[in-house]
Amino acid sequence: MSLILVLDIIGTLAFAISGVLTALHKRLDAFGILIIAFVAAVGGGTLRDVLIGAPIAWMVDLTYVYVIFGATVFSVIFRKRLGYVRRSLFLFDTIGIALYTIVGVEKGIAAGFSPIICISLGTMTACFGGVLRDILCNEIPIIFRKEIYATACIIGGVVYFILLKTVIPLDFIVIISGSIVFIVRLLAVYFRLSLPSIYTKEELEQQ
Amino acid sequence: MSLILVLDIIGTLAFAISGVLTALHKRLDAFGILIIAFVAAVGGGTLRDVLIGAPIAWMVDLTYVYVIFGATVFSVIFRKRLGYVRRSLFLFDTIGIALYTIVGVEKGIAAGFSPIICISLGTMTACFGGVLRDILCNEIPIIFRKEIYATACIIGGVVYFILLKTVIPLDFIVIISGSIVFIVRLLAVYFRLSLPSIYTKEELEQQ
Amino acid sequence: MSLILVLDIIGTLAFAISGVLTALHKRLDAFGILIIAFVAAVGGGTLRDVLIGAPIAWMVDLTYVYVIFGATVFSVIFRKRLGYVRRSLFLFDTIGIALYTIVGVEKGIAAGFSPIICISLGTMTACFGGVLRDILCNEIPIIFRKEIYATACIIGGVVYFILLKTVIPLDFIVIISGSIVFIVRLLAVYFRLSLPSIYTKEELEQQ
């Protein structure tokens, strides 16, 4: 089994758990929880595959479906131990975006797209499932909140393509650029980093 | 004309009318009513065809477009006689999900997908048009309200695959499993059945 | 470079600017502005290409990406001179729908669809990006407000197919039918034209 497939499965696991936690918080019923876990886990990849024109990954390989189903049952049963708090949701969400960014970039390269499009595909894969999860749960999407989010995915994608020009082996490139997404997002939330404002003082006061 | 095509057309008719009723209730203008009827009728099937990678049914065969247009004009004119009430919307919505579930399952089988994926496709075909209709009309989607909804589609899909292992002829399988979706949904609303709660008393009080 | 490609690029420019103006109005950060500009500019065309089953235009030809990026930087810097008002947003939005309607109709014809479907594709290309832009910015979509909007696109599309039966050269047909979309929308807003109401006085009072 290739590294990229392993990452994809772990990302699926992380996002499915993030979906369950959001759905539990909203007191959805068993079916609603499964749907949100599913949408969070495969939403981004599905959009990517539709845009690329590739077969949808989870429809061809049932491993994804089993992982999501297992993760849902597991995290509903052990929800007390998962902490049931914002912090664990944040952790799984951040692991998910790091892994999915790299999966998206690599699938874009495999389909023959240019670096800019591959980085966009990686960012979409990483962010879209979480946006759908939050919209369906009637929360403001995490991505639109203050701290750097999609920007972390873009930085990771850019690093991936820079390292691709060096002699570093591919597996290390994957690990390094994935870790960068994870760390950038972690630091951004920890230090409450946002993008610099483009508005003048007057404009902000007009609001 | 095959049975499945007839079901698809009747489902289109039922969902188009459900769309018109929702749009009339929101006092949309003539164009808005047509759009909502269209989205309700073809939304689920379009998602299914995009995911399967098949040509979109209504773009290839104009019958759908004519049926939706005819149903819209008819139900706008005769809206008083349709009762103009929640009950008729509910009836057409329930006929729609029963027929679309079977259509979705059969299209999944024809495209060579596994039973789990076929049942998912059937449920999507049945539910997604209604979700879009409700979101565009700024209503909470019926599917997310209390009573069993998508679960009825899943049960119908499972029954379909169980019967497929028997000697029962295909046309009967279609009628039986479609009726099961219809009856499960009807009973669920009549007896106000929901899925059993997974939350402890303390968790619900925390809310 | 063909006329249709030029129109597509100018439409992209107009919609990207409309996206930036909406995002600035909502005080989004730099990344949010870029995303909204992107979604407004390519949302409709992406839906069209997915439905047709064609490769997504902006993923194959990076010109779109550069135009959107350039338009975003330009209009953020010169936002004071753009007027920063509803009126300029309205102007760019109207230019955008006129051009995109024709682009959508022509792509539909090239893919071999019937006139009704081509007109639908044109209307979708023109309207869907703006709908996504407004939903993401938490505004009521312009298309659902009172004045004639999508109807202008449909009229333009119908005129296109009528003129196609005449001896008028294709380039003129493009210019005439595009101008009609622009003028119909302009007049509709200027004279506050809506579609005639289908509701009786009693129904409106019930509301």
Side-chain angles (χ1 to χ4, degrees):
Chain A
M1 203 152 80
S2 69
L3 179 61
I4 193 75
L5 189 56
V6 175
L7 292 183
D8 203 3
I9 298 292
I10 301 176
T12 304
L13 195 67
F15 265 124
I17 295 175
S18 87
V20 172
L21 291 175
T22 312
L24 282 172
H25 189 72
K26 286 283 167 178
R27 298 285 185 272
L28 296 193
D29 66 14
F31 179 74
I33 294 171
L34 187 62
I35 290 287
I36 302 296
F38 212 86
V39 166
V42 306
T46 303
L47 177 64
R48 177 201 63 219
D49 291 340
V50 165
L51 291 183
I52 290 182
I56 315 300
W58 59 269
M59 291 175 63
V60 181
D61 182 352
L62 286 185
T63 312
Y64 297 95
V65 177
Y66 298 142
V67 166
I68 294 168
F69 197 82
T72 303
V73 172
F74 174 86
S75 43
V76 166
I77 294 175
F78 294 102
R79 60 184 182 270
K80 299 267 165 184
R81 309 235 174 139
L82 280 172
Y84 203 96
V85 284
R86 290 267 146 208
R87 212 184 324 147
S88 54
L89 171 58
F90 167 68
L91 192 69
F92 286 106
D93 192 85
T94 307
I95 295 170
I97 63 165
L99 298 172
Y100 271 12
T101 301
I102 307 307
V103 173
V105 167
E106 299 222 325
K107 292 219 174 176
I109 294 174
F113 289 104
S114 59
I116 291 184
I117 300 300
C118 293
I119 295 171
S120 306
L121 286 171
T123 307
M124 253 183 246
T125 308
C127 300
F128 195 68
V131 169
L132 284 183
R133 174 197 67 207
D134 294 344
I135 288 178
L136 287 181
C137 286
N138 209 17
E139 294 262 353
I140 298 166
I142 283 190
I143 193 179
F144 293 135
R145 284 179 218 156
K146 270 186 180 160
E147 291 92 2
I148 282 165
Y149 188 96
T151 311
C153 305
I154 295 175
I155 293 171
V158 170
V159 167
Y160 185 99
F161 278 101
I162 291 172
L163 295 183
L164 217 53
K165 304 263 179 197
T166 65
V167 294
I168 300 175
L170 192 58
D171 282 2
F172 280 93
I173 296 179
V174 166
I175 292 166
I176 293 170
S177 47
S179 305
I180 281 175
V181 177
F182 185 80
I183 291 166
V184 168
R185 172 73 182 140
L186 219 64
L187 292 178
V189 170
Y190 192 78
F191 293 109
R192 297 176 178 267
L193 296 180
S194 313
L195 291 177
S197 175
I198 58 160
Y199 300 100
T200 62
K201 220 173 159 185
E202 292 83 43
E203 282 177 334
L204 289 173
E205 276 164 7
Q206 268 172 38
Q207 191 64 335
Chain B
M1 204 152 81
S2 69
L3 179 61
I4 195 74
L5 188 57
V6 175
L7 292 184
D8 204 4
I9 298 292
I10 301 176
T12 304
L13 195 66
F15 265 125
I17 294 176
S18 87
V20 172
L21 292 175
T22 312
L24 281 172
H25 188 72
K26 287 281 166 180
R27 298 285 185 272
L28 297 192
D29 67 13
F31 178 75
I33 294 171
L34 188 62
I35 291 286
I36 302 295
F38 211 86
V39 166
V42 305
T46 303
L47 177 63
R48 176 200 63 219
D49 291 340
V50 165
L51 291 183
I52 290 182
I56 314 300
W58 60 268
M59 291 174 65
V60 182
D61 182 352
L62 284 185
T63 312
Y64 298 95
V65 177
Y66 298 143
V67 166
I68 295 167
F69 197 82
T72 302
V73 172
F74 174 88
S75 43
V76 165
I77 294 175
F78 293 103
R79 59 183 182 271
K80 300 266 166 185
R81 309 235 174 141
L82 280 172
Y84 203 98
V85 283
R86 290 267 146 209
R87 211 184 326 148
S88 53
L89 171 58
F90 167 69
L91 193 69
F92 285 107
D93 191 86
T94 308
I95 296 170
I97 62 164
L99 298 171
Y100 271 13
T101 300
I102 307 308
V103 173
V105 166
E106 298 223 326
K107 292 219 173 174
I109 293 173
F113 288 105
S114 59
I116 291 184
I117 300 301
C118 293
I119 295 170
S120 305
L121 286 170
T123 308
M124 253 183 245
T125 308
C127 300
F128 196 68
V131 169
L132 285 182
R133 173 197 67 206
D134 295 343
I135 288 177
L136 287 180
C137 285
N138 208 17
E139 294 263 352
I140 299 166
I142 283 190
I143 192 178
F144 294 135
R145 282 177 220 158
K146 270 187 181 160
E147 292 91 3
I148 282 164
Y149 189 95
T151 310
C153 304
I154 295 175
I155 293 172
V158 170
V159 167
Y160 185 99
F161 278 100
I162 291 173
L163 295 183
L164 217 53
K165 304 262 180 196
T166 66
V167 294
I168 300 173
L170 192 58
D171 281 3
F172 281 93
I173 296 179
V174 166
I175 292 167
I176 294 170
S177 48
S179 305
I180 282 175
V181 177
F182 185 79
I183 291 166
V184 169
R185 171 72 181 141
L186 219 62
L187 292 179
V189 170
Y190 192 77
F191 293 110
R192 298 175 176 267
L193 296 181
S194 312
L195 291 177
S197 176
I198 59 161
Y199 300 100
T200 62
K201 219 172 159 186
E202 292 83 44
E203 282 178 336
L204 289 173
E205 276 164 7
Q206 269 173 37
Q207 190 63 334
Chain C
M1 203 152 78
S2 68
L3 178 60
I4 194 74
L5 189 56
V6 175
L7 292 183
D8 204 4
I9 299 291
I10 300 175
T12 304
L13 195 67
F15 265 126
I17 294 176
S18 87
V20 172
L21 291 175
T22 312
L24 281 172
H25 189 72
K26 287 281 166 178
R27 297 286 185 270
L28 296 192
D29 66 13
F31 179 74
I33 293 170
L34 187 62
I35 290 286
I36 302 294
F38 211 86
V39 166
V42 305
T46 302
L47 176 64
R48 177 199 63 218
D49 291 340
V50 165
L51 290 183
I52 290 182
I56 315 300
W58 59 269
M59 291 174 63
V60 181
D61 182 351
L62 285 185
T63 312
Y64 297 95
V65 177
Y66 299 142
V67 166
I68 295 168
F69 197 82
T72 303
V73 171
F74 174 87
S75 42
V76 165
I77 294 175
F78 294 102
R79 60 184 183 271
K80 300 266 167 188
R81 309 234 175 141
L82 280 172
Y84 202 97
V85 283
R86 291 268 145 208
R87 212 183 327 147
S88 54
L89 171 57
F90 167 69
L91 193 69
F92 285 107
D93 191 86
T94 306
I95 296 169
I97 63 164
L99 298 172
Y100 271 13
T101 300
I102 307 308
V103 173
V105 166
E106 300 223 322
K107 293 219 173 176
I109 293 174
F113 289 105
S114 59
I116 292 185
I117 301 300
C118 293
I119 295 171
S120 305
L121 287 170
T123 308
M124 254 183 245
T125 308
C127 300
F128 195 69
V131 169
L132 284 183
R133 173 197 67 206
D134 294 343
I135 288 178
L136 287 180
C137 286
N138 209 17
E139 293 263 352
I140 298 167
I142 284 189
I143 191 179
F144 293 136
R145 281 178 220 156
K146 271 187 180 160
E147 291 92 3
I148 282 164
Y149 189 95
T151 310
C153 305
I154 295 175
I155 293 171
V158 170
V159 167
Y160 185 99
F161 278 100
I162 291 172
L163 296 182
L164 217 52
K165 305 260 179 198
T166 65
V167 294
I168 301 174
L170 192 59
D171 281 2
F172 281 93
I173 297 180
V174 166
I175 292 165
I176 294 170
S177 48
S179 305
I180 282 177
V181 177
F182 185 80
I183 291 165
V184 169
R185 171 73 182 141
L186 219 63
L187 292 179
V189 170
Y190 193 78
F191 293 109
R192 298 175 177 266
L193 295 181
S194 313
L195 290 177
S197 175
I198 59 159
Y199 299 100
T200 62
K201 219 173 160 186
E202 293 84 42
E203 282 177 335
L204 289 173
E205 277 164 5
Q206 270 173 36
Q207 190 64 334

